[in-house]
Amino acid sequence: MIRLNCFILLEEEERRKPVIELATELTALSLHDKGCISYDLYGSLTVDNHLMICETWKSQEDLDAHMASEHFKRIVPRLKELSAMTLEKFTF
């Protein structure tokens, strides 16, 4: 299995709402992708401008297919335009 923690740093407060809307859409669509075990968006309780998408996949092939999906290719570049994103990947 593969776990991804995608950290989203909002550098401008006015970008919070559109980033949350995009990330929520990505989450809703990705939950239906083959091999998706979990996919959710979290907000920090202590720092307003930090969000995280936490996702778990059955295999690298499933993750690759997700990253090639229409919704991923449409939404993730827009998230990158609106925020600073970093990624942690764990295989177990």
Side-chain angles (χ1 to χ4, degrees), residues 7-70:
F7 297 97
I8 302 169
L9 172 62
L10 300 164
E11 296 170 346
E12 299 174 28
E13 179 59 31
E14 64 270 7
R15 293 182 176 187
R16 182 176 179 77
K17 183 177 179 185
V19 165
I20 289 173
E21 289 171 354
L22 287 165
T24 300
E25 179 184 4
L26 179 64
T27 297
L29 294 169
S30 299
L31 284 168
H32 300 287
D33 289 349
K34 179 183 175 290
C36 180
I37 296 171
S38 66
Y39 207 106
D40 209 346
L41 173 66
Y42 298 93
S44 173
L45 295 175
T46 57
V47 184
D48 286 343
N49 65 338
H50 290 173
L51 303 170
M52 181 182 76
I53 296 173
C54 181
E55 51 193 278
T56 306
W57 296 92
K58 287 184 181 178
S59 69
Q60 184 63 51
E61 295 77 30
D62 293 329
L63 176 57
D64 291 344
H66 163 67
M67 293 172 65
S69 70
E70 179 278 330

Side-chain angles (χ1 to χ4, degrees), residues 72-90:
F72 184 93
K73 293 192 293 186
R74 175 175 51 85
I75 297 171
V76 171
R78 185 71 180 123
L79 286 171
K80 288 181 178 180
E81 290 174 7
L82 295 170
S83 64
M85 297 175 70
T86 58
L87 185 68
E88 293 178 337
K89 181 178 179 181
F90 304 93

